[in-house]
Amino acid sequence: MDICKVQENISKCSMNITECFMVLSTGAQKISIATLCGLLGTLCIFENSLVLYLIFSSPRTRRKPSYLFISSLALADILASIIFVCSFVNFHVFNKTDFSKEIFLLQLGGVTSSFSASLSSLLLTALDRSVSISQPSQYKLLMTRKRAWTALGVLWVTCATTASLPLLGWNCCTLDSTCSELFPFVDDNYLSSWICSIVVLLGCIVCAYTHVLWRAHQHVASMEKNQAQAGKQNTRMRMDVMLAKTLVMVLSVLVLCWSPVLVLMIYSIFARLSTHLRKVFAFCSTLCLLNSVVNPIIYALRSKELSSSLRMFVSRFRRKLKTSEESPGAESTHRSSVTET
């Protein structure tokens, strides 16, 4: 049934209206969503937790501003996966409606703030790489740990404040305005503003990556002309070029995962969505989780420092397993010798 027809008979601020947004009608669809969310959410939490451990377990990486931004990205992805999976599965799979409007807007704010923080962390990472590759001699003076922590503080406060606006009163119930067809109680104007901010954010990331790519191309050309020269400068250039390629891979995955959701959101503002399109939107939403899963894989494969720390972690883990397997035999041998004595 069309949600707009339902709203004629049900108050748009009643909790019963949430049932109109539960678009998964068959058991197969619910099982598919639950499986996707469970698998992607578990992988996302494990991988990003591992990234945080690798960064903060090494004094070398946790002191670098670039890895502080990556840790912010990992933390945002962990929070996004936990809040998104729990709220999304409860709503679409288990059809939970025994919560208030405020609880629903709080959950939605948690999802939007964490995903916004994830995108913003990518922007800070891109800007950090842009400064590093364009002004390598001034990088340590321009990008200090204090400035990095300040930028991260502003980032998280801004994302949390923006996401809490519907809960604070910018919703269609309080304003008696037009509600979104994709989210209960959400004002269409707020959704439009949030979409615009995300599009601007993505545009800034694209510009920053474009600049990084351009500078990386110049460095590659410079290295080809001066292959005979060796030293720290050439090594630094190679690191910048590799980091630039890593960030481009992250951006490509980001655009591919977020484009379907943003396109459907924009379309919902200008036209009414059919039940089929809202089902498509529900499945496309899981692509945001996929983005959070792929990011740490790219870092582990492309970052030499993180991959080196990962290899050390795996080798330590194997040694512990080997020791634990050998210890029972050694203990039994020791007991046997004591008994004989």
Side-chain angles (χ1 to χ4, degrees), residues 46-257:
F46 172 75
E47 292 173 357
N48 285 286
S49 299
L50 182 59
V51 169
L52 287 177
Y53 171 78
L54 293 177
I55 290 175
F56 287 99
S57 63
S58 171
R60 183 179 179 182
T61 54
R62 68 168 174 255
R63 286 197 295 262
K64 293 185 177 181
S66 57
Y67 286 103
L68 290 179
F69 298 145
I70 293 176
S71 64
S72 174
L73 173 62
L75 177 61
D77 286 337
I78 291 174
L79 293 177
S81 63
I82 294 174
I83 302 173
F84 177 83
V85 169
C86 292
S87 58
F88 198 77
V89 171
N90 279 335
F91 187 81
H92 284 289
V93 177
F94 298 109
N95 300 139
K96 295 288 186 179
T97 58
D98 54 344
F99 49 80
S100 63
K101 177 191 70 176
E102 288 74 19
I103 294 298
F104 178 85
L105 292 177
L106 180 63
Q107 292 176 348
L108 184 62
V111 173
T112 55
S113 62
S114 51
F115 277 128
S116 299
S118 177
L119 295 178
S120 301
S121 299
L122 276 176
L123 176 60
L124 288 182
T125 306
L127 294 176
D128 173 75
R129 287 300 90 205
S130 179
V131 174
S132 174
I133 201 170
S134 59
Q135 303 182 46
S137 59
Q138 300 292 322
Y139 174 75
K140 290 186 178 180
L141 295 176
L142 295 174
M143 191 59 66
T144 61
R145 294 184 74 243
K146 182 179 180 180
R147 289 180 178 177
W149 282 111
T150 302
L152 289 175
V154 172
L155 180 156
W156 281 91
V157 170
T158 303
C159 292
T161 302
T162 304
S164 63
L165 290 178
L167 183 63
L168 297 176
W170 193 355
N171 56 75
C172 59
C173 298
T174 303
L175 301 177
D176 193 22
S177 55
T178 304
C179 293
S180 167
E181 291 189 23
L182 292 175
F183 307 100
F185 317 121
V186 174
D187 179 67
D188 250 351
N189 292 327
Y190 171 80
L191 183 61
S192 302
S193 302
W194 187 80
I195 292 172
C196 289
S197 65
I198 295 299
V199 170
V200 170
L201 193 60
L202 288 173
C204 292
I205 294 175
V206 170
C207 291
Y209 280 112
T210 302
H211 180 257
V212 170
L213 271 180
W214 177 64
R215 295 295 299 183
H217 176 72
Q218 287 185 327
H219 282 188
V220 170
S222 176
M223 284 189 292
E224 290 177 352
K225 292 180 180 179
N226 303 281
Q227 286 183 349
Q229 296 180 359
K232 290 186 177 180
Q233 186 175 4
N234 251 358
T235 304
R236 176 73 182 188
M237 286 182 180
R238 291 190 181 93
M239 290 176 60
D240 287 337
V241 171
M242 188 171 183
L243 283 170
K245 292 179 179 178
T246 301
L247 298 180
V248 170
M249 292 173 63
V250 173
L251 178 62
S252 301
V253 173
L254 177 73
V255 172
L256 289 174
C257 291

Side-chain angles (χ1 to χ4, degrees), residues 310-330:
L310 179 60
R311 285 193 296 270
M312 292 176 61
F313 172 78
V314 172
S315 63
R316 287 198 303 268
F317 183 73
R318 287 179 176 176
R319 284 198 299 269
K320 287 183 179 179
L321 284 179
K322 189 176 181 180
T323 303
S324 63
E325 289 176 356
E326 293 176 351
S327 58

